[in-house]
Amino acid sequence: MQAVYPRARAALTDLKFQQMMDKFQFSIDDLWGPPEPLVERALQRAAQGPARDIVLRHRAGIERDYAIPPQRLVALFVGRLDVGKNIYTLIEAMERLIGEGLPLHLIAAGIGPAADDLRQRLGDHVSVPGFVQPDELARLYASVDVLALASEVE
């Protein structure tokens, strides 16, 4: 497994997270490979028939609507874009992982003073749509690969 921040490593070794990984027969190393096999395996286990088609259709729409190149692992952050939500920790982690060659893209759904910093520091690896309506949030949650939860408080 590639080096990750200590908090990320702790989250990845959390018992509940490991139980979820076991349920879908994933290993930690699967998270660092190309996203397509991981997404396909998750879809095969979690969604069958029409539900699977809906999720795949949403993903294509997300890539189109948020200008995400294909083959990228998509992370979603939802919340205020400010220091209180640890957005700079997320920016630093994304910069590091992108620098290591991981094909990542972040959708940062929210408003706040860090919006410009996100765009400046992550470039074409980030989409900052601002406030997102609940129905669109549901589509995002159903279509991304990873939720980015950097905040230590709610």
Side-chain angles (χ1 to χ4, degrees):
M1 183 168 86
Q2 297 182 13
V4 294
Y5 283 86
R7 283 189 212 163
R9 178 179 289 280
L12 292 175
T13 57
D14 178 78
L15 178 61
K16 287 184 181 184
F17 180 81
Q18 189 58 51
Q19 289 170 340
M20 185 273 304
M21 295 290 285
D22 291 344
K23 176 181 175 183
F24 290 104
Q25 299 173 355
F26 295 144
S27 73
I28 296 298
D29 292 333
D30 289 329
L31 298 178
W32 302 111
E36 292 74 27
L38 185 65
V39 171
E40 186 62 29
R41 281 180 34 209
L43 288 171
Q44 287 172 354
R45 289 174 175 82
Q48 299 295 320
R52 182 177 184 276
D53 294 338
I54 290 168
V55 171
L56 288 175
R57 205 166 43 247
H58 282 315
R59 178 57 180 249
I62 294 298
E63 289 175 352
R64 180 193 64 239
D65 296 346
Y66 293 88
I68 301 169
Q71 312 297 319
R72 285 205 181 158
L73 181 69
V74 180
L76 174 65
F77 173 87
V78 178
R80 287 188 325 274
L81 306 178
D82 65 16
V83 173
K85 292 293 186 177
N86 279 345
I87 194 69
Y88 289 98
T89 299
L90 179 57
I91 292 171
E92 290 169 14
M94 291 286 297
E95 286 175 325
R96 181 173 177 181
L97 294 170
I98 291 165
E100 291 178 7
L102 290 174
L104 297 176
H105 190 92
L106 175 65
I107 299 173
I111 57 174
D116 289 337
D117 289 338
L118 276 160
R119 289 184 192 100
Q120 181 180 26
R121 291 175 64 178
L122 299 179
D124 70 344
H125 289 269
V126 68
S127 301
V128 185
F131 178 80
V132 175
Q133 294 294 328
D135 58 335
E136 178 64 1
L137 271 180
R139 186 173 79 121
L140 288 171
Y141 282 123
S143 304
V144 300
D145 302 302
V146 177
L147 295 177
L149 305 172
S151 180
E152 295 178 18
V153 296
E154 188 48 43

